Amino acid sequence: MATGLIFSETFLYHNSNPLIPHYENSDRLIACMNLLQKSKYYSLLRKPEIKDISSDLIKQIHSEDHLQKIENSKGKRGYFDSDTPFTEKSWISAFKAASSGLTMVDALLEGKIKNGFSLLRPPGHHAERDRIMGFCILNNIAVATKYLQIKGFKKVFILDWDVHHGNGTQEIFYEDPSVFYLSIHQFPFYPMTGLSTEIGEGIGIGTTKNIPLQANTENFKYIEIFKNSVVPTIEKFNPEVILISAGFDAHKKDPLGGMKITTEGFEKLTRIVLECAKHVCQGRVLSFLEGGYDIPSLSESVEAHVAVLNSFS
């Protein structure tokens, strides 16, 4: 089987006013694609065409009010919040990004891919059920998780290593015992959620785990935590599939983060997760781009991440 790579030109529609530069812009994806296309394995990647998401599915993740905000943005320019601009076609990018997970899940179920990476934007893990925030419009990984549940998956593990806590993903599945959400992130930091005491509610108690870290944490500490805490947590939950909110803004060169991971560090973290997945869930890992705003280090980290995925497919 192969590694899937999801990309669409429609992801590039979402850009702010060029006179007011924004960290989350289409240059991020262009640089990543340019580097991936130079790799020796690029021709081996399976690149399925993105299927469109149904309104019924998206309504299982986001409220009517949330979707109405996006509807009202069509053909306009403005801001959903102080961090999240929109343009005339941002809604197209957002819905296509949310649709990417469906495409990867179907390719996985059809035996066409063993794992995959969605090179998408806008990112999604800050988007709550009823709130657009932090560059995120729709929660892409939450949509993919819901689709997996619809397709019969009973246990899904979401690993979020973005430098920021994924408050949206946590909120959406906070009371769902069939979805384990684990975030390792910088704290105190935006969005000021993700304390270790946040462990879920109701029947979901015990299926949320947060590992807040101080700024300037380096590779060796991340690797230690992955080996001694993340992997055992995955093994104990014993999921059928692992989803990664793959933000690369914990890179030491990132302008918005404060961590010290290197490109080689992200390669090692990816390898640790894939080794675990090989024994726990038959290697089924689907990864979604979140943050990462220093373009050279982002593209290098993405290429290293996809290279590991490909080596395990």
Side-chain angles (χ1 to χ4, degrees):
M1 285 187 284
T3 290
L5 175 66
I6 303 292
F7 174 76
S8 171
E9 293 286 339
T10 61
F11 296 156
L12 309 181
Y13 292 173
H14 171 61
N15 271 322
S16 60
N17 188 330
L19 299 177
I20 309 174
H22 195 280
Y23 284 110
E24 204 294 282
N25 59 67
S26 58
D27 289 345
R28 300 171 64 235
L29 267 57
I30 293 170
C32 291
M33 280 300 295
N34 286 341
L35 194 56
L36 286 169
Q37 288 170 345
K38 294 176 183 177
S39 69
K40 295 179 179 179
Y41 57 81
Y42 182 76
S43 62
L44 303 176
L45 302 175
R46 185 174 288 272
K47 309 168 189 72
E49 185 176 346
I50 300 178
K51 302 175 182 179
D52 289 330
I53 192 170
S54 70
S55 59
D56 288 342
L57 176 56
I58 201 72
K59 288 177 182 177
Q60 294 186 55
I61 295 298
H62 293 293
S63 69
E64 292 280 1
D65 286 346
H66 188 103
L67 299 176
Q68 189 60 52
K69 294 172 191 173
I70 300 172
E71 180 70 23
N72 293 342
S73 76
K74 292 182 179 180
K76 302 175 184 177
R77 285 179 175 266
Y79 284 81
F80 290 116
D81 73 356
S82 60
D83 292 322
T84 315
F86 62 84
T87 58
E88 294 86 351
K89 294 184 178 180
S90 290
W91 66 275
I92 298 176
S93 301
F95 277 93
K96 192 64 74 171
S99 299
S100 68
L102 282 65
T103 304
M104 283 207 291
V105 169
D106 283 342
L108 186 72
L109 292 175
E110 292 165 7
K112 296 178 180 178
I113 65 171
K114 187 172 185 178
N115 56 48
F117 178 69
S118 188
L119 183 61
L120 59 78
R121 58 180 296 274
H125 73 151
H126 291 309
E128 298 181 350
R129 190 176 301 277
D130 193 36
R131 187 180 181 188
I132 297 169
M133 61 179 291
F135 309 168
C136 302
I137 299 175
L138 294 171
N139 196 308
N140 308 309
I141 204 165
V143 169
T145 301
K146 179 57 67 175
Y147 191 60
L148 282 163
Q149 291 177 320
I150 291 171
K151 289 294 184 178
F153 283 75
K154 304 299 183 184
K155 299 178 80 175
V156 179
F157 195 99
I158 301 174
L159 170 61
D160 189 334
W161 70 44
D162 190 279
V163 76
H164 306 94
H165 178 244
N167 57 291
T169 310
Q170 175 174 295
E171 181 230 18
I172 290 167
F173 297 111
Y174 207 50
E175 299 182 45
D176 188 339
S178 69
V179 178
F180 199 111
Y181 176 73
L182 187 154
S183 176
I184 179 169
H185 51 271
Q186 183 176 328
F187 190 88
F189 205 42
Y190 181 90
M192 298 305 293
T193 54
L195 294 170
S196 58
T197 53
E198 297 169 20
I199 60 172
E201 287 184 352
I203 59 173
I205 288 179
T207 54
T208 294
K209 183 172 184 176
N210 286 294
I211 305 175
L213 300 176
Q214 293 183 340
N216 298 311
T217 301
E218 299 186 8
N219 286 339
F220 76 91
K221 184 62 175 179
Y222 270 88
I223 291 169
E224 178 185 31
I225 291 170
F226 267 61
K227 289 181 177 179
N228 297 333
S229 184
V230 175
V231 168
T233 303
I234 294 172
E235 291 175 338
K236 183 177 180 180
F237 187 66
N238 194 29
E240 297 164 90
V241 61
I242 297 170
L243 306 186
I244 303 175
S245 267
F248 297 97
D249 41 6
H251 197 285
K252 67 177 184 178
K253 294 183 179 179
D254 196 273
L256 298 187
M259 293 305 207
K260 299 296 183 182
I261 300 182
T262 64
T263 300
E264 294 73 22
F266 279 117
E267 185 274 335
K268 291 178 182 178
L269 297 184
T270 305
R271 191 168 297 279
I272 291 169
V273 175
L274 268 291
E275 285 286 355
C276 175
K278 184 169 61 176
H279 303 291
V280 173
C281 54
Q282 301 177 329
R284 292 189 290 252
V285 176
L286 301 180
S287 180
F288 300 78
L289 181 64
E290 297 286 358
Y293 306 102
D294 174 71
I295 290 178
S297 63
L298 169 64
S299 57
E300 291 166 4
S301 298
V302 164
E303 192 280 323
H305 182 62
V306 176
V308 175
L309 288 169
N310 180 68
S311 71
F312 276 81
S313 63

